[in-house]
Amino acid sequence: MSTHASAIAADFATALRGAREAAASQNYPPAALYVVATPIGNLADMTLRALHLLQLADVVACEDTRHTQALFRAYGIDKGAAPWLAVHQHNEAQAVQRVLDRLTLGQRVAYVSDAGTPAISDPGARLVAGVRQAGFKVVPIPGASSVTTVLSAAGVGADPSAQGGFVFAGFLPSKATERTQAVLALASEARAVVLLEAPHRIEALAQALAALGERPLTVGRELTKQFEEIVTLPASQLPHWLATDANHTRGEFALVLHPADTSSQTQSDSRVLRLLLAELPLKTAVKLAADITGEPRNALYQQALALKTDTTEPHD
C-alpha cells in the first residue's frame, strides 16, 4: 500500500472511531429498517451516524452489492459474515419479504442505494412501504442528496416571485412526445422544479426545456465531485451551453427550473387579451386568450370586462 493510501486508510479508521464516539450513545432499536444516505460522489460526505450504523447493522440491503462492498472497503468497514441482500428496481417487490424475514428475527437491516438518499429517485420506496405496512420501524439516517444539493446552490428561496416550496419531478419521460408534454406542464408551475437526468439524455432534455425561453435554470453537473460545475442560465440557452464544451454533457445532472415570474406572466396575459379585444368580440377574445395562455376562462372574462370598462369610460 502506498504512503498516500495508508494515510487515507488511517484517516478513515479515525473517522470510524469518531463515529462510534459521536453516535454510539443514541438508540438504534432492533427489528428496524435503517434507510441510510451515502455520498453522491465525494467520499468525505458520509455522516458519522451513517458510518456507525453501517458497522452496527446485522444485514446490509443494497441496490448493487458489488458497488456497496467497494464503498465499505473505502471506509474500512468490515462486515465479516454479515449477509448482504440485493434490493434494486427489478426485484424490489420480491425482496421486501426477505427483509421482513430478517426483521422478524429482530435484526437491524441497513438499506443503501448506489448513491445519495434511497427511496427518492433511487429504489427503496416499495421496501419502506412494505416494512411499514408489516408494522416494523423505519429509521432514516439522512445525508447526501442531489436534490437538496442543487437546491442549496440555486438560490431560489430568495426569489420574491416564488410561490414557496419546490416540486421534485425527477427524471422526465424518455419518449420525445411525452417529455415535451411534461415540460409544457411544468411551464405553468409557479414553484421551483427539480429535475434529474443522465448524461446520455441531457441533450434531449435541453431541447425540450429550451421551449421555456428566458425562465432561469440552474444546472448542476458532477455535484460534489472534482469536476463539479454549477451554472444558472435561461432555459433557452441550455442546448448552446452543452454544445460549447464536450465535458458539459458528462456526469450525472441535477437541475432546478426556477419559479415562474408570476408578475411577468400576468402582464403577458393582459397584453394578449388587450390585443384580442381590439379586434374581436369580447367572448371570442376571451376564448382565444384562454387557449393561448392556459388561464381560466372565467378569470379572463372578468379581466376583459374591466378592460372594456376602462376604455369606454369618458375622460376629463
Side-chain angles (χ1 to χ4, degrees), residues 44-299:
D45 288 340
M46 188 72 128
T47 70
L48 294 178
R49 188 168 172 229
L51 286 172
H52 178 68
L53 188 280
L54 292 177
Q55 295 176 87
L56 186 66
D58 301 298
V59 180
V60 178
C62 53
E63 187 176 357
D64 185 326
T65 55
R66 293 168 300 178
H67 178 91
T68 303
Q69 286 169 353
L71 186 69
F72 277 42
R73 286 195 296 271
Y75 292 120
I77 299 175
D78 182 5
K79 296 305 296 177
W84 294 74
L85 300 177
V87 182
H88 46 73
Q89 62 176 337
H90 303 296
N91 77 341
E92 189 172 356
Q94 297 78 16
V96 171
Q97 186 56 53
R98 295 200 291 274
V99 171
L100 293 178
D101 291 342
R102 297 290 180 173
L103 296 176
T104 301
L105 295 174
Q107 296 180 329
R108 298 180 183 90
V109 179
Y111 180 68
V112 301
S113 57
D114 286 349
T117 303
I120 297 177
S121 179
D122 292 341
R126 289 181 179 177
L127 176 61
V128 168
V131 168
R132 286 199 178 281
Q133 187 174 8
F136 291 102
K137 189 176 182 66
V138 177
V139 182
I141 307 294
S145 166
S146 60
V147 176
T148 53
T149 299
V150 72
L151 276 170
S152 70
V156 293
D159 192 332
S161 68
Q163 299 295 304
F166 68 93
V167 176
F168 176 61
F171 292 90
L172 295 188
S174 58
K175 293 183 178 180
T177 301
E178 295 176 3
R179 182 171 54 243
T180 299
Q181 290 174 344
V183 169
L184 290 176
L186 294 178
S188 60
E189 174 55 66
R191 294 166 293 181
V193 181
V194 179
L195 302 166
L196 303 179
E197 194 51 274
H200 67 280
R201 296 194 341 183
I202 188 61
E203 290 175 298
L205 177 64
Q207 291 296 333
L209 290 173
L212 301 180
E214 295 301 302
R215 188 161 173 180
L217 182 71
T218 294
V219 182
R221 186 183 71 83
E222 291 285 77
L223 292 174
T224 78
K225 299 179 184 178
Q226 182 179 359
F227 299 107
E228 174 184 87
E229 193 167 11
I230 302 172
V231 298
T232 297
L233 39 67
S236 61
Q237 292 301 308
L238 181 56
H240 174 72
W241 181 80
L242 292 174
T244 59
D245 187 336
N247 290 318
H248 287 171
T249 59
R250 295 175 180 169
E252 300 297 321
F253 289 82
L255 309 93
V256 178
L257 183 63
H258 289 223
D261 186 341
T262 53
S263 61
S264 295
Q265 184 63 46
T266 299
Q267 292 173 5
S268 176
D269 294 347
S270 179
R271 182 172 180 274
V272 168
L273 192 54
R274 284 180 183 275
L275 290 173
L276 292 172
L277 285 171
E279 303 294 335
L280 300 168
L282 188 144
K283 288 186 178 180
T284 304
V286 167
K287 180 182 182 303
L288 288 176
D291 292 340
I292 294 170
T293 66
E295 293 299 309
R297 190 175 300 186
N298 288 342

